[in-house]
Amino acid sequence: MKDPQIERIYTLTMEVEDLKRVAEEQRVKYERRIQKLRNKLKVVRAESSLQIYGLQEEIKAIAPTVSTSTEEFLEELLQKKNQVIKDLSIQVLELNDRLLNPQGQ
């Protein structure tokens, strides 16, 4: 007859070995997943860098146009503002003249 304590130790030893094997399999599995994710991250970073570079090049290409358009737009606004000031000044002078020289009197 075998000693129950020895059988229990043997059983526990086998369970520990099984757990070590499962743990190692899981470690390998997760290391592979981590490596795949790292590789994906590298690809995404590279793609992002290319997109950023492409956008920077697009901005450089349209910057002179935007700058010129902006300058023209601002010049047009300035001219309109000056015209409004001129029109208002004329209206103020006309109103002032009417107040100082009422026609009905």
Side-chain angles (χ1 to χ4, degrees):
M1 193 171 197
K2 293 185 179 178
D3 185 6
Q5 286 183 340
I6 292 177
E7 284 185 28
R8 179 74 178 141
I9 291 172
Y10 178 76
T11 303
L12 290 174
T13 303
M14 295 306 293
E15 287 178 8
V16 166
E17 291 300 318
D18 284 344
L19 290 172
K20 284 182 180 178
R21 180 184 52 75
V22 169
E24 180 62 20
E25 289 172 358
Q26 291 294 317
R27 184 189 65 77
V28 169
K29 176 183 171 183
Y30 285 110
E31 280 184 355
R32 284 188 200 129
R33 285 184 69 191
I34 289 170
Q35 190 58 44
K36 285 180 183 178
L37 290 172
R38 284 182 179 152
N39 290 340
K40 283 183 181 180
L41 180 60
K42 287 178 185 177
V43 168
V44 168
R45 283 182 178 162
E47 288 173 351
S48 295
S49 294
L50 285 174
Q51 288 175 344
I52 290 170
Y53 177 77
L55 290 173
Q56 288 172 335
E57 291 301 309
E58 284 182 42
I59 289 169
K60 286 179 187 175
I62 65 170
T65 304
V66 170
S67 177
T68 302
S69 296
T70 303
E71 288 175 15
E72 290 172 358
F73 176 72
L74 291 174
E75 182 63 34
E76 186 178 323
L77 282 178
L78 183 61
Q79 289 175 1
K80 286 180 181 180
K81 180 194 79 125
N82 288 338
Q83 185 62 45
V84 168
I85 290 172
K86 186 188 291 184
D87 292 344
L88 288 173
S89 296
I90 291 170
Q91 289 177 8
V92 167
L93 288 173
E94 288 173 352
L95 285 173
N96 190 30
D97 187 50
R98 284 186 198 164
L99 287 172
L100 293 176
N101 301 312
Q103 293 178 357
Q105 295 176 351

